[in-house]
Amino acid sequence: MSDPIVKMVDIKKHFGPVIALNGVSFDVKAGECHCLLGDNGAGKSTFIKTMSGVHKPTSGEIMFEGSRMNFNSPRDAMEAGIATVYQDLAMIPLMSVTRNFWMGREPKKGLFIDFDKANSTTMSEMKKMGINLRSPDQAVGTLSGGERQTVAIARAVYFGAKVLILDEPTSALGVRQTSNVLATVDRVRKAGIGVVFITHNVRHAMAVGDRFTVLNRGQTLGTAARGEITPEELQDLMAGGQEMAQLEGSLGGTV
């Protein structure tokens, strides 16, 4: 596999006396889905915001395509090719799919928006992701949660993402919607884009992941490739190993 597109080396992030990240190293390659797993409070949100330019690391290096980067803002990261899809999706429910897809970057014909191009591009890009819209004019709020996730992912890909960070994309979805999002992630990976899949759901990670890294209390506990670790081992590592085994014993194996 090729060299990493993004490589984070010994990243530390302090907020005053609070250590949010304590020596995290992580990388993602083109055409790879690297899953970062961790429970609530593990440091996943700080990790996302550090990789995407919201936070500057206290120490450590962020390498992008072999060069050291100092992102001063999310715009810097986006211009480099790192796009983040957060759980809130940054969409306006009553606006059309097209307007949400373009979000101020609409194609122009002279002084006016070229709605024909905007609509046809939106329909085409969504179709590539496996979604056939009834109309590009329908309100994005009428779409399912999985379809809205796909709009956000398609938008990021269209505007040049080389690395796509997905923040718990399946956490609030039902089974069918989750399947649609996981299929979209697979399409994006096969298109040669590096995907950082943030989740606490081992089954969802195993469905699309090529590598798996576990984050716990701001530190990585290890990285394993597909085939090197079982779902049970990954769950055990994420949940605390010995502590979980003791709890299962006290509850009669029902955890």
Side-chain angles (χ1 to χ4, degrees):
M1 194 173 281
S2 61
D3 293 334
I5 304 176
V6 175
K7 186 175 183 179
M8 301 176 72
V9 183
D10 196 25
I11 296 294
K12 296 182 181 180
K13 180 60 184 175
H14 300 173
F15 296 98
V18 178
I19 302 174
L21 298 177
N22 191 18
V24 172
S25 294
F26 183 94
D27 65 76
V28 61
K29 302 177 176 68
E32 173 191 45
C33 179
H34 192 162
C35 298
L36 183 71
L37 298 101
D39 212 339
N40 292 336
K44 301 193 300 296
S45 293
T46 303
F47 170 90
I48 293 169
K49 290 177 180 178
T50 303
M51 180 180 274
S52 63
V54 176
H55 297 322
K56 292 181 73 69
T58 302
S59 64
E61 293 184 340
I62 299 178
M63 309 293 292
F64 185 85
E65 295 184 327
S67 299
R68 182 172 181 175
M69 303 298 288
N70 290 298
F71 298 133
N72 293 311
S73 69
R75 181 177 292 277
D76 287 349
M78 288 177 63
E79 288 178 352
I82 300 174
T84 305
V85 176
Y86 291 101
Q87 291 184 58
D88 64 10
L89 300 180
M91 290 188 181
I92 301 172
L94 295 180
M95 285 176 56
S96 70
V97 176
T98 291
R99 296 304 294 266
N100 275 281
F101 184 93
W102 292 90
M103 279 287 187
R105 293 182 282 189
E106 292 86 353
K108 296 292 183 70
K109 183 185 291 184
L111 298 175
F112 303 98
I113 295 173
D114 187 344
F115 279 108
D116 288 339
K117 181 178 180 180
N119 286 332
S120 63
T121 300
T122 300
M123 294 288 283
S124 174
E125 293 302 311
M126 291 300 293
K127 188 173 183 179
K128 288 178 185 178
M129 295 294 174
I131 303 294
N132 292 304
L133 297 172
R134 295 196 308 272
S135 166
D137 294 322
Q138 72 184 96
V140 81
T142 65
L143 302 179
S144 70
E147 289 170 334
R148 290 195 297 275
Q149 284 277 356
T150 301
V151 172
I153 293 170
R155 179 175 65 192
V157 171
Y158 180 77
F159 285 107
K162 297 178 181 179
V163 171
L164 184 64
I165 305 171
L166 301 178
D167 177 20
E168 297 275 4
T170 59
S171 63
L173 302 181
V175 174
R176 183 172 182 178
Q177 294 178 26
T178 293
S179 297
N180 290 340
V181 171
L182 295 178
T184 299
V185 172
D186 188 50
R187 289 186 180 94
V188 170
R189 174 182 57 183
K190 288 178 178 176
I193 295 169
V195 179
V196 180
F197 190 99
I198 312 293
T199 186
H200 62 272
N201 190 304
V202 170
R203 290 180 58 204
H204 297 171
M206 281 288 181
V208 293
D210 296 297
R211 285 191 293 157
F212 312 92
T213 293
V214 175
L215 190 65
N216 185 282
R217 297 180 183 179
Q219 295 180 300
T220 49
L221 300 184
T223 297
R226 175 177 290 277
E228 295 178 346
I229 192 168
T230 67
E232 292 75 20
E233 290 169 338
L234 191 57
Q235 181 74 58
D236 187 53
L237 186 63
M238 189 178 120
Q242 187 65 33
E243 293 178 13
M244 182 58 70
Q246 292 173 354
L247 181 60
E248 283 190 332
S250 66
L251 296 179
T254 59
V255 178

